[in-house]
Amino acid sequence: MEELASKYNPADVESKWYQYWLDNGFFKSKPDGREPYTIVIPPPNVTGVLHMGHMLNNTIQDILVRRARMMGKNACWVPGTDHASIATEAKVVNKLAQEGIKKTDLTREQFLEHAWEWTRKHGGIILEQLKKLGASCDWDRTGFTMDETRSKSVIKVFCDLYEKGLIYRGVRMVNWDPKALTALSDEEVIYKEEHSKLFYLKYYVADDDMSGETGAEGEIIHRDAKGRYAVVATTRPETIMGDTAMCINPKDPKNRWLAGKKVIVPLVNRVIPVIEDEYVDIEFGTGCLKVTPAHDVNDYMLGEKYNLQTIDIFNDNGSISEAAGMYVGQDRFDVRKQIEKDLDAAGLLEKTEDYNNKVGYSERTNVVIEPKLSMQWFLKMEHLAKIALEPVMKDELKFYPPKYKNTYRNWLENIKDWCISRQLWWGHRIPAYFLPQGGYVVAENEEKALELAKAKSGNNNLTIADLRQDEDCLDTWFSSWLWPISLFDGINNPGNEEIKYYYPTSDLVTGPDIIFFWVARMIMSGYEYQGDMPFKNVYFTGIVRDKLGRKMSKSLGNSPDPLDLIDRFGADGVRMGMMLSAPAGNDILFDEALCEQGRNFNNKIWNAFRLVKGWEVKEMEQPESAQKAVKWFKQQLNKTIAEINDCFDKYRISEALMAVYKLFWDEFSSWYLEMVKPAYQQPIDKETYEATLNYFETLLKLLHPFMPFITEELYQNIKERDAKDSIMVSLLPKVEEYCEKNINRMEITKGIIAGIRNVRANKGISPREAFEMYYKGSDFDGKNNSIIEKLANVSKITEATDEIKGAAATFMVSTIEISIPLGNNVNAEEEIKKMEEEIKYLEGFLAGVEKKLSNEKFVANAKPEIVEKERKKKSDAESKIATLKENIAKMK
RNA sequence: GGUCUUAUAGCUCAGCUGGUUUAGAGCACCUGCCCUACAAGCAGGGGGUCCUAGGUUCGAAUCCUAGUGGGACCA
């Protein structure tokens, strides 16, 4: 066979094996008699590029899918992309702007043509990138939230919910994004702490008759040459143009005198009533609240309650509207600066204070949200929240880590109706059709709409041209919430073969940041439309941060390019780097050094393989040491497989990886291979060789879900394989019974070998010089003597019944004392000092144990096996101390 | 402000229903080694008042309370 390079080069093999897997259709899944294992991908934005979050997320999914496949399940990982309404539309608008085209100059159809072109050009790049990572998705199933099947599903669900009375249309206070020019849901608003100013404004009393003063304790009256006035504290002085009332708390003695009066809005000079409501916080500012029903959610509620006028002073883009009567056309933030000056000049600004408050920003465009009254479509959430809560709280649908159950419950219990309309073109257009004489109908298509419209209006002469479809489209999440159903066409074809087979899906892997946007809503739609959970388990990954704990962002430039990492460390190395740092739910502090560790591990596997494949095989007797090693490794292997299975059951994936890592590196490479390795240029016996290849193959299988490429490469090189024999469709070993005693014996053996090597290192004695070894202690059974002889270069092993001739280096392993006679090489004083230190430690330990045992309450209350353990500790420690003391005596 | 969560080695974390020696791992660090699988390696080594203060208990890193410091979500 050809000579293998001493360093593993991932680039040589990765694309080759990915293509091989594709060519053989190993990623494909069709319903059959096997147990299904299904994951639907969290669809990334169609025009997005791969970032570290995707890497983490998809590595985990691929590990789970590959493992399930190797457990004999019918594994199906469905990929796809999201049309990402706002984000994509914003990108298209930007691109058009660069070409000098304004969106408003285009018709809806023209704009959509540009958007589709953009999508065709940039769409799906991210899926190609996932292939580089090794993702074993069934690419034939790739879905898009705006393709035909998914679009039909969305419209059908909208109509259904409308018919059920769960969708309604109305004027409500919504979060308005003045840049994207659309309403947003509550979840799309991000609150940020800001340093701002609190402005104290003077509202003079109108037609003041000087009445109302009570002289009661706490009363505060402001007056100056122009008369009496109230002081209102606000962070948004520019909204005074929309003031239609002032509100005080009826229990507030400071402002009692204002009750029933009217006051004058500064600069605007509008006279507004003073109303009273306990909603007002007496302690905030002066206890006087300006009420602007059009521009604040709480003020809106007051407006409804007291039937106040609403004056909308903003245009959709955040500039001041005609209705304001002043500053018309200027930007809201410019006006805030200007009005401060104008108020001050007019003597209407009492004072300003520094103030920290939380301001809502648009998740997508990062501009300050404007609360705005507008006509929107809403989905009632009460019923949906109810059906989605219980299964999670009862752990029928499990969250990993479970702490997110709390977050989930909190949201569902305080949920508000979902604003699902967006004033955008890129998305699913709302299937509502307005009639010429007013009113509307909701229908899946124009024909049905026309029928309904005729019936509704009683006008049989209506034509489709008479109907006007709602211009708005739906929130992106209104399509992704159906993803686990719509990918299997369960909305359009309820009960079809695929949905019956694949639904509920098995695991969902996603970030906790979209628990409300997506996870919760999928659970709602799952129960509403399938009567069952959309997935059995949700694995929440952490957020990927840099090693200093900062979020990865473009502006910080601290986000590595995943493809660049793959180039440098190989996909397997990067996958391992991600997983080493990623316990479920914890944020992961990503450090390139972890990819390096991954790459180093690849190299270790590669070199172990080079060793094994370099052996010359011969029919000959199996050495005893090899026979013992082969027997032991089987036990160790099974023990670790059990451990790995347990980790996976608990979704402790990084721990599972660490277990395989140590199994391969420490147990297999450092111990097993050294035990069976023939002397330089000597052949190996066939029996050992074959056992070793078998172990190697098993290890590769265990490693495959984590590191698909190198494991396939080596699996194919272990022996000649059939064209269709791939590691990715092989079966993982089932865990077998293992002998704990055998493993413990080897642990002692390893301890002895390490001890002897240590003696050599300390004394500077060459490994070539053979030692004799004496042991003392009943725990030594001599069964691994051949291994000790081989790995520690020991010529003879004898029980130390007689006094050992000459000076010896001694050490203890468990309760066994090992002595290596070294003649003049031993410095007796040094040895004695070492032993005395050991005795000191043991005596301290013994004292602790004795204290426990002499405590009557401990002996009486503790479980008998615990007491027994303590007694064993005591006797072990005592015997060790005795041995050491004896030894010191001998050396003196 | 509300809810939740967390604090263990230089870093990232295990440590499960309290008792597996006087707390572990990986990485990093230090000291030796190019000994033909592997320097992307090998052999050794150091390193912790388990955040603080109380409490429960025969026994606390583990359970409870308070405080302090992180983090997340919601308003």
Side-chain angles (χ1 to χ4, degrees), chain A residues 15-82:
Chain A
S15 54
K16 172 179 76 181
W17 292 120
Y18 200 85
Q19 194 56 47
Y20 163 76
W21 296 328
L22 281 177
D23 291 346
N24 283 282
F26 291 143
F27 301 159
K28 293 184 189 174
S29 168
K30 276 195 208 115
D32 61 20
R34 289 175 295 164
E35 183 190 339
Y37 176 87
T38 319
I39 291 187
V40 294
I41 205 170
N45 291 359
V46 63
T47 60
V49 291
L50 202 68
H51 62 239
M52 296 307 287
H54 296 123
M55 293 284 281
L56 171 65
N57 204 341
N58 289 293
T59 298
I60 294 169
Q61 291 175 70
D62 197 45
I63 289 168
L64 293 173
V65 168
R66 284 182 184 270
R67 181 173 153 87
R69 199 180 280 122
M70 291 175 79
M71 290 182 1
K73 294 181 190 171
N74 184 347
C76 182
W77 182 11
V78 190
T81 49
D82 190 301

Side-chain angles (χ1 to χ4, degrees), chain A residues 116-383:
Chain A
W116 276 109
E117 196 190 307
W118 174 269
T119 301
R120 278 189 292 269
K121 192 170 163 199
H122 299 278
I125 291 175
I126 195 159
L127 300 182
E128 290 308 310
Q129 293 178 313
L130 284 178
K131 294 177 182 173
K132 296 261 183 273
L133 185 65
S136 61
C137 302
D138 183 351
W139 298 107
D140 295 349
R141 293 177 174 274
T142 304
F144 176 46
T145 51
M146 248 170 76
D147 62 18
E148 202 188 329
T149 305
R150 265 48 71 176
S151 297
K152 263 180 81 181
S153 308
V154 167
I155 299 306
K156 197 170 169 197
V157 163
F158 183 96
C159 295
D160 179 70
L161 290 169
Y162 178 77
E163 277 156 29
K164 286 175 181 163
L166 292 174
I167 283 181
Y168 64 93
R169 183 170 184 259
V171 175
R172 297 287 184 284
M173 185 66 81
V174 295
N175 308 295
W176 184 262
D177 179 331
K179 186 170 177 197
L181 302 178
T182 177
L184 300 176
S185 67
D186 294 341
E187 288 67 38
E188 285 164 300
V189 180
I190 299 166
Y191 290 88
K192 297 186 198 169
E193 179 100 10
E194 263 193 6
H195 301 292
S196 60
K197 274 188 199 168
L198 202 51
F199 300 86
Y200 288 79
L201 312 183
K202 295 179 178 180
Y203 286 60
Y204 284 96
V205 177
D207 304 323
D208 197 358
D209 57 6
M210 294 298 164
S211 69
E213 296 186 22
T214 60
E217 196 185 337
E219 184 174 56
I220 296 175
I221 296 161
H222 304 273
R223 68 177 93 229
D224 63 15
K226 283 187 262 177
R228 300 194 297 175
Y229 60 91
V231 176
V232 173
T234 178
T235 54
R236 301 201 60 191
E238 71 278 14
T239 62
I240 57 173
M241 284 97 81
D243 285 359
T244 54
M246 196 184 91
C247 191
I248 57 171
N249 190 315
K251 290 183 180 159
D252 183 2
K254 294 197 296 291
N255 297 313
R256 220 30 257 154
W257 63 281
L258 285 162
K261 299 247 171 331
K262 287 186 182 336
V263 292
I264 303 166
V265 181
L267 292 183
V268 182
N269 293 326
R270 179 165 47 239
V271 175
I272 56 171
V274 174
I275 59 172
E276 297 176 58
D277 194 282
E278 298 204 357
Y279 162 75
V280 177
D281 180 357
I282 297 173
E283 302 303 320
F284 182 83
T286 58
C288 291
L289 176 76
K290 66 193 267 310
V291 184
T292 321
H295 300 294
D296 183 281
V297 183
N298 297 308
D299 293 12
Y300 174 68
M301 286 173 347
L302 287 173
E304 293 266 278
K305 195 167 166 185
Y306 297 99
N307 210 9
L308 301 173
Q309 194 192 351
T310 52
I311 303 173
D312 187 344
I313 63 156
F314 292 121
N315 293 315
D316 286 352
N317 65 1
S319 63
I320 305 297
S321 71
E322 293 285 344
M326 48 207 301
Y327 306 108
V328 174
Q330 297 186 41
D331 180 77
R332 52 190 169 149
F333 296 111
D334 296 338
V335 173
R336 185 177 302 172
K337 284 180 203 145
Q338 186 56 46
I339 205 167
E340 179 182 1
K341 288 180 195 155
D342 294 347
L343 284 162
D344 200 26
L348 293 166
L349 184 62
E350 174 105 338
K351 61 173 175 175
T352 63
E353 277 175 4
D354 289 334
Y355 184 69
N356 286 344
N357 66 342
K358 294 270 179 105
V359 178
Y361 283 78
S362 163
E363 192 214 12
R364 294 292 177 182
T365 61
N366 202 32
V367 298
V368 175
I369 290 299
E370 203 59 63
K372 187 179 166 68
L373 274 177
S374 70
M375 178 68 86
Q376 302 290 344
W377 293 88
F378 295 89
L379 174 57
K380 291 184 186 170
M381 295 307 269
E382 199 188 333
H383 157 74

Side-chain angles (χ1 to χ4, degrees), chain A residues 774-777 800 802-813 815-821 826-836 838-839 879-892:
Chain A
Y774 292 85
Y775 65 88
K776 195 172 176 185
D802 305 320
E803 300 242 324
I804 301 162
K805 301 267 190 301
T810 66
F811 59 91
M812 300 207 63
V813 176
T815 56
I816 303 162
E817 186 201 35
I818 305 293
S819 309
I820 310 291
V826 165
N827 178 334
E829 262 175 52
E830 238 174 59
E831 292 296 320
I832 289 170
K833 204 175 148 204
K834 257 192 349 210
M835 284 188 278
E836 277 171 346
E838 175 96 24
I839 289 173
S879 97
K880 280 193 206 177
I881 291 171
T883 314
L884 287 165
K885 282 189 171 161
E886 223 172 278
N887 242 318
I888 291 174
K890 257 186 281 179
M891 307 232 356
K892 276 186 175 162

Side-chain angles (χ1 to χ4, degrees), chain A residues 776-789:
Chain A
K776 195 172 176 185
S778 54
D779 288 351
F780 187 87
D781 63 10
K783 287 192 177 164
N784 281 337
N785 283 2
S786 55
I787 289 174
I788 296 174
E789 285 161 4

Side-chain angles (χ1 to χ4, degrees), chain A residues 68 123 202 269 274 322 329 344 384 398 419 453 463 494 499 511-512 571 587 653 678 706 720 736 743 764:
Chain A
K202 295 179 178 180
N269 293 326
V274 174
E322 293 285 344
D344 200 26
L384 293 166
K398 293 195 186 69
C419 177
T463 65
I499 192 86
D587 279 2
I653 300 174
F706 301 98
E720 286 293 312
E736 289 170 36
I743 292 171

